[in-house]
Structures are given as structure tokens and as C-alpha cells.
Amino acid sequence: MTAAVTYEHIKTCKQSGARLGRVHTPHGVIDTPTFMPVGTLATVKTMSPEELKAMEAQIILSNTYHLFLRPGHDIVQAAGGLHKFMNWDRPILTDSGGFQVFSLAEMRKITEEGVHFRSHLNGDKLFLSPEVAMEIQNALGSDIMMAFDECPPFPAEYEYVKKSTERTSRWAERCLKSHARPQDQALFAIVQGGMHEDLRVQSARDLTSMDFPGYAIGGLSVGESKQLMYEVLDYTVPLLPENKPRYLMGVGSPDALLEGSIRGVDMFDCVLPTRIARNGTTMTSQGRLVVRNAQYARDFGPLDPECDCYTCRNYSRAYLRHLIKSDETFGLRLTTYHNLHFLINLMKNVRESIMEDRLLDFRDEFFDKYGLHNN
Ligand SMILES: CNc1nc2c(CC[C@H]3O[C@H](OC)[C@H](OC)[C@@H](OC)[C@@H]3OC)c3nc(N)[nH]c(=O)c3cc2[nH]1
């Protein structure tokens, strides 16, 4: 049986150990390391598929939990699946809903069977489990599905993280058993274990023994310091097979994308660029720039002089400030376009630096200009 998703290793950076690769999926190839724009409700907020292609987005994310609640996965399935529903013919990855249930839903009760919770929209009593999460993602038709897991809160008692991680391994096995179309959709497992090396080793051992086509590192970017996150990555990434994609969930500030790539991570997602764009905060080559600030009222230069994106080629900081202050939707679109392009372009530079065996130099140059502390 041909696997739906395969990883092709291109080369390893001699200076950093980062790796250049390609993830082959039924809807196209993804050059890695890559940043994946988040499209929670079947849209990358305010962007059209054409604009996402223009900025060279290779893959986008969507959300099992949110689509389960609204419009319902049955409607998406009746529309012909998520690709058709949102007019996106490139790869789609969906999260399993685990994280969202624990972070969004009220009145949730976790059992071995699954999670009972109330919808954060209308209070309806709902239930998510490995089997239900797989049924929903099967209906959505995503190219990459995530196993149903619990992302333990941070901080959390060692015993709680141990019990939760062991249950996540049992849930992963149940996901595998209820995987209806492995030749069309790849199921990635999610390594947990909190900030404890022994639990990370146990989680990776459990999951890699079940031979998934790809592995995510979960349970990070949940409030821990970046240094602690990098420490956990240092001992967790090497536990994962070299010939499979590695996805670090929920990570997307420029410094974390660089440090994660250096540690061998291939895929990243984060709501940061789209979320901060909506209040007029942008990422530029000189660091963060809050374009709604008064100092830009008469600044007729581009948002980022080093950027060649649609926003920076055609509009000024003064115009963007005016639109954002006036709550004009076009303003949100222009800042969102730029922020997504910024991270997608950053990852293009990361891939080029790996090709030239100089990713550590690139990271240092980037931090000198961007500024280490204003991510
Ligand atoms: C921020 N730190 C962060 N985000 C973690 C997400 C969610 C990623 C999710 O984060 C938003 O949902 C809330 C995005 O929607 C807004 C989702 O995009 C579709 C995205 O799904 C991949 C995790 N998801 C699972 N299943 N397991 C995790 O351990 C985990 C850890 C995360 N840390």
C-alpha cells in the first residue's frame, strides 16, 4: 500500500545540522523547513486562495474542533471535502481537536473513552474521541490528519503528565485502528511528555513503534520559556525517525522558526502572523513595527524596505495606518498579506541557507537586524 505522505531528504546543513527536505502529499509537494498558515474556519483570515498562492504558501491548516462545531463536517463532506469547499487545491493539514477542546470548550470531562464538553458557541453537549476525531478528519479529506491527543497544561504535575502521555499513546493506537483511508490521508502522531525527558522518550518510543508516516512534537509553546522549549527539542527531535516529517505544533515567531529548523524540525504552524496583523502589528526585517502608531502618520515609505510583497510594493505606512485606524478591512488584508509573506519568505531563506551550509550565520545576521527580543 503506497503511503499518502512520504518524506524525501535532500541534504543536511553542514554548519547547523538542519535538514532540507520535501514532503510529498496527494495534493502536492512541500519544501521543508516550511511555515504553514493557519486557516481555522476553512479560511486563512482575509486571504483568498489566489493571494496565498501568490505569496507561495505551500500548505494550510484547518481545525477539526471548529469545523465540527460549525458548519459541521457532514456539510463539508457533502460539499466534496475541504479542498473543494474552500477552493484550495494544495495540501491541507487538520489538527485533531484535542488542543482546542482543552483550550476552548467549557465543562469538559476527560475519560479513557474521550472528552465530553460543551460547545463554546452554544453550550451544546458534545463528545470527541480518537474515533470521532478520525471520522471528522476523514470527512474533511485533509492530506495530513493529526492523532487525537491531550496537550497537557503548563505547568503540570509530573504524575498528571505521565498519565496523560500514556493515554495519548493509547489514543494514537485507536486512531490508527480507525483510519479509514491511509492511502489518501496521512495520520501523524503527536509526541507528548511535557518538559520531562523520560516521558518524552517513553512517548516517542510508544509512537514510533506504531510506524506513523509523520510525527508532531506537541505539548510545547504552551507558556514555557523559549529556552525550555529549545531544551525539550534538543532531546526530543533525535528520538524521531530521520525519514519522516517532523512538525512542531503552534510555533511561529521568527526566532523559534530559526531555532526549531536548526534542531531538525521540518514543519511549523502559528496563528501569530495573522492574529497580530489584525491589530496592526507587523513583522519587518528591522523587527516588529506597530503601523497604527502615530509616528507613521506621514511616513510614505513601504512597511518594510527590504520586502517585495504586494503590500510593500504598493502601499505606504501612512496609508496602512490610516486604514487600520479607520477599521477598514483592506488594512487587515494588507498587514495579514505582509506578515504571512514575511514568514514564508523567512523559511525560503532558511532553505537557501541550508543548501549553502550557513544556517547559523543566517540566524545571527537575522537577529542582528530583527533584534533578538522583539519577536
Ligand atoms: C500555540 N501553541 C500551541 N498550539 C498547539 C496545538 C494546536 C495547534 C493549533 O493551534 C490553533 O488552534 C488552537 C490553530 O487554529 C487557530 C490550529 O490551526 C488549525 C492549530 O492546529 C494545528 C496543539 N495541538 C495538538 N493537537 N496537540 C498539541 O500538543 C498542541 C500544542 C500546541 N501548542
Side-chain angles (χ1 to χ4, degrees), residues 12 26 33 96 106 120 168 279 324 336 347 353 373:
T12 297
S96 53
E106 289 113 35
H120 72 287
T168 285
N279 62 41
I324 298 282
T336 298
M347 298 317 280
S353 302
H373 305 295

Side-chain angles (χ1 to χ4, degrees), residues 74-89:
D74 50 328
I75 288 180
V76 178
Q77 184 165 34
L82 204 43
H83 289 87
K84 197 135 176 39
F85 194 49
M86 65 186 292
N87 183 33
W88 176 256
D89 61 2

Side-chain angles (χ1 to χ4, degrees), residues 3 5 134 145-148 168-177 179 186-190 203-204 206-216 241 243-245:
V5 164
M134 292 301 288
M145 310 154 94
M146 300 312 294
F148 188 71
T168 285
S169 293
R170 293 193 296 274
W171 282 357
E173 193 163 12
R174 284 170 48 190
C175 287
L176 213 48
K177 286 202 175 75
H179 190 1
L187 173 62
F188 281 18
I190 304 175
S203 177
D206 293 346
L207 298 174
T208 52
S209 69
M210 295 182 230
D211 195 21
F212 286 88
Y215 293 89
N243 63 337
K244 304 280 175 69

Side-chain angles (χ1 to χ4, degrees), residues 326-362:
S326 318
D327 263 344
E328 277 295 338
T329 307
F330 189 47
L332 310 185
R333 282 177 30 74
L334 290 172
T335 51
T336 298
Y337 190 106
H338 169 79
N339 281 357
L340 286 172
H341 177 277
F342 182 85
L343 288 187
I344 289 168
N345 195 55
L346 174 65
M347 298 317 280
K348 198 188 287 184
N349 292 334
V350 164
R351 295 194 295 269
E352 280 164 16
S353 302
I354 293 172
M355 190 55 98
E356 295 158 9
D357 296 314
R358 56 180 303 280
L359 183 55
L360 297 182
D361 295 343
F362 175 73

Side-chain angles (χ1 to χ4, degrees), residues 210-345:
M210 295 182 230
D211 195 21
F212 286 88
Y215 293 89
I217 298 167
L220 290 176
S221 185
V222 286
E224 80 283 5
S225 72
K226 287 201 175 147
Q227 286 324 316
L228 181 52
M229 176 167 79
Y230 301 151
E231 207 180 291
V232 174
L233 287 178
D234 283 338
Y235 59 69
T236 303
V237 174
L239 303 170
L240 303 177
E242 299 240 321
N243 63 337
K244 304 280 175 69
R246 299 148 174 183
Y247 162 28
L248 177 54
M249 304 191 83
V251 170
S253 58
D255 57 325
L257 291 177
L258 287 166
E259 295 296 348
S261 298
I262 286 165
R263 288 166 174 79
V265 174
D266 306 306
M267 302 160 73
F268 302 86
D269 90 86
C270 188
V271 292
L272 192 75
T274 37
R275 187 166 289 172
I276 63 173
R278 291 197 287 281
N279 62 41
T281 301
T282 62
M283 301 168 170
T284 77
S285 47
Q286 275 79 36
R288 276 202 178 188
L289 187 151
V290 183
V291 76
R292 63 181 303 137
N293 286 352
Q295 69 195 80
Y296 303 113
R298 292 175 174 276
D299 183 336
F300 303 110
L303 192 55
D304 183 348
E306 295 186 20
C307 178
D308 66 350
C309 84
Y310 170 70
T311 299
C312 293
R313 276 186 284 109
N314 295 292
Y315 305 96
S316 68
R317 290 171 177 177
Y319 180 64
L320 290 173
R321 177 177 183 272
H322 159 63
L323 292 183
I324 298 282
K325 296 282 284 181
S326 318
D327 263 344
E328 277 295 338
T329 307
F330 189 47
L332 310 185
R333 282 177 30 74
L334 290 172
T335 51
T336 298
Y337 190 106
H338 169 79
N339 281 357
L340 286 172
H341 177 277
F342 182 85
L343 288 187
I344 289 168
N345 195 55

Side-chain angles (χ1 to χ4, degrees), residues 38 40 61-63 95-96 99-100 149 151 190 192 218-222 247 249-250 269 271:
V38 166
T40 303
L61 267 51
S62 207
N63 228 296
D95 197 1
S96 53
F99 186 86
Q100 291 77 27
D149 65 325
C151 172
I190 304 175
Q192 294 294 350
L220 290 176
S221 185
V222 286
Y247 162 28
M249 304 191 83
D269 90 86
V271 292

